[in-house]
Amino acid sequence: MAGLENWDQLTPRQRAVFFCCDGLKSNAKLASQKTQAIGICGQDIFDRYYLDNGNEARIKAAYDKRDPRLKQTIVTPYEPVDCFTAGLNGNENMIGKQLRWPLYLQGTSGGDFWLDKRTSAYYCYRKYVRFLKGELIDRQRCYTDFPLIRYTDVILQWAEALIELNEFTPAKNLIDQVRARAHIPGITIGDLDAMREAVRYERRVEFPVEAVNFFDEVRWGTYKETKSPGLRGGGYTPPNRPITRKAGSRRRNPSTSWSWRTLPTCESFWSRISRTPTASFRRKTAPKPSPSSNNRPAT
């Protein structure tokens, strides 16, 4: 990775050295934080790669000039973020906190942004998360509705269908609509494989945290190669046995079973749908129940 020396040669634990906050060598108040960092990345790695002044700027620069949807999805290291925690900072919003590690200063503006898991470097979702006072109903709920389907999803499915029909120019125009909203340049038309990868990239960066990508990767036949490597020391291996219908199915002896191997690929999937999406999606709000004698307040 640019700017991070020997990143590809280091293990995930050793790479933690790049995420450490400044001053671990020179600031005596951070002695316990220094011990914590060395306990994860190792003394030799710490001595070789850690910058006492400039470590934060180095890792922060690694996230600059990237697809802007990255920072819209997660809180990246040393990127200021405003947030609120009841009972802290005079019960007011804390301004300009940063995702620093190891944790040192909490509960105040300009301090460290942290969650319950703070013994190692981590990412935190920004997408669909509300941080400020008054934006939450309670710890589990906010005022933002979870989308069932987004217009961007329809546009990119349409583009994907056109690509499978070798209609690359209209597919490019649709993909570029999505990229223009993100303020990034349009794509260049290539061959079938290049166009497939272009629309798949857009879907991967547009729909994190929306329960979309899993089904995309299975449909494309790429789930195993994209999700298995590197997860929890070896990765998730899809089950070899088929996934059958629920036991409560009306059919006592279901003959249809599915596994990750037998789901339709993109070619067979898109051959079954129309070129132009015609369905309209509207949010429907259930009418409020009318007052009755059973729920009127007592007088």
Side-chain angles (χ1 to χ4, degrees):
M1 183 177 293
L4 303 177
E5 182 184 358
N6 295 330
W7 173 273
D8 293 334
Q9 283 72 51
L10 299 178
T11 68
R13 289 180 65 87
Q14 291 172 333
R15 292 171 186 167
V17 68
F18 295 115
F19 293 84
C20 294
C21 61
D22 290 349
L24 292 182
K25 290 182 177 180
S26 59
N27 189 346
K29 295 181 179 179
L30 299 177
S32 63
Q33 283 75 16
K34 176 182 176 181
T35 300
Q36 181 182 348
I38 292 174
I40 291 179
C41 66
Q43 183 70 61
D44 56 335
I45 295 296
F46 184 84
D47 293 340
R48 179 175 179 180
Y49 295 101
Y50 178 71
L51 302 177
D52 194 61
N53 182 16
N55 214 61
E56 296 179 11
R58 178 176 57 182
I59 191 65
K60 185 177 184 297
Y63 295 90
D64 294 338
K65 298 181 181 180
R66 303 277 292 275
D67 191 309
R69 288 167 288 190
L70 173 65
K71 292 186 178 182
Q72 294 167 4
T73 302
I74 61 172
V75 177
T76 55
Y78 305 100
E79 189 76 20
V81 59
D82 302 337
C83 61
F84 171 78
T85 300
L88 297 181
N89 199 45
N91 213 42
E92 296 296 332
N93 288 325
M94 292 172 279
I95 308 302
K97 300 188 72 167
Q98 294 184 24
L99 190 62
R100 293 188 184 94
W101 182 79
L103 173 72
Y104 171 65
L105 181 63
Q106 63 189 68
T108 184
S109 293
D112 299 345
F113 184 86
W114 61 282
L115 295 176
D116 294 338
K117 182 175 177 58
R118 51 189 180 274
T119 57
S120 60
Y122 59 89
Y123 293 105
C124 175
Y125 285 125
R126 184 189 292 272
K127 189 176 183 179
Y128 298 129
V129 177
R130 295 295 173 261
F131 294 120
L132 299 179
K133 184 178 181 179
E135 293 182 337
L136 297 175
I137 300 172
D138 54 36
R139 187 177 177 87
Q140 302 295 331
R141 299 179 296 162
C142 70
Y143 294 97
T144 302
D145 293 332
F146 193 87
L148 297 179
I149 189 169
R150 291 203 282 121
Y151 179 64
T152 303
D153 196 353
V154 178
I155 288 292
L156 291 177
Q157 287 191 55
W158 187 4
E160 189 174 347
L162 291 171
I163 289 170
E164 295 306 317
L165 295 170
N166 291 313
E167 298 186 17
F168 295 164
T169 298
K172 167 187 161 54
N173 294 336
L174 291 171
I175 294 172
D176 287 352
Q177 287 183 38
V178 177
R179 294 176 64 86
R181 190 196 59 175
H183 305 290
I184 50 180
I187 66 169
T188 301
I189 294 179
D191 58 17
L192 178 60
D193 288 340
M195 294 300 290
R196 281 178 176 170
E197 186 55 36
V199 74
R200 290 174 185 182
Y201 171 83
E202 293 303 315
R203 294 188 64 81
R204 286 169 178 148
V205 300
E206 272 287 329
F207 305 119
V209 205
E210 297 187 37
V212 171
N213 179 252
F214 169 83
F215 300 99
D216 280 346
E217 302 290 349
V218 170
R219 175 165 53 81
W220 297 330
T222 56
Y223 178 80
K224 187 175 182 180
E225 66 189 64
T226 58
K227 302 303 179 185
S228 179
L231 296 180
R232 295 191 179 275
Y236 168 73
T237 300
N240 291 325
R241 60 183 184 278
I243 303 172
T244 59
R245 295 172 182 264
K246 293 182 178 180
S249 172
R250 292 183 179 180
R251 298 178 61 186
R252 294 185 179 180
N253 297 308
S255 59
T256 301
S257 61
W258 295 90
S259 71
W260 64 276
R261 295 190 185 91
T262 58
L263 291 175
T265 61
C266 57
E267 295 92 338
S268 60
F269 178 83
W270 287 118
S271 66
R272 300 189 183 114
I273 69 171
S274 168
R275 292 188 179 189
T276 305
T278 57
S280 60
F281 301 93
R282 297 179 180 177
R283 178 175 295 172
K284 296 182 179 180
T285 305
K288 297 181 179 180
S290 58
S292 65
S293 58
N294 293 331
N295 58 19
R296 289 174 181 162
T299 57

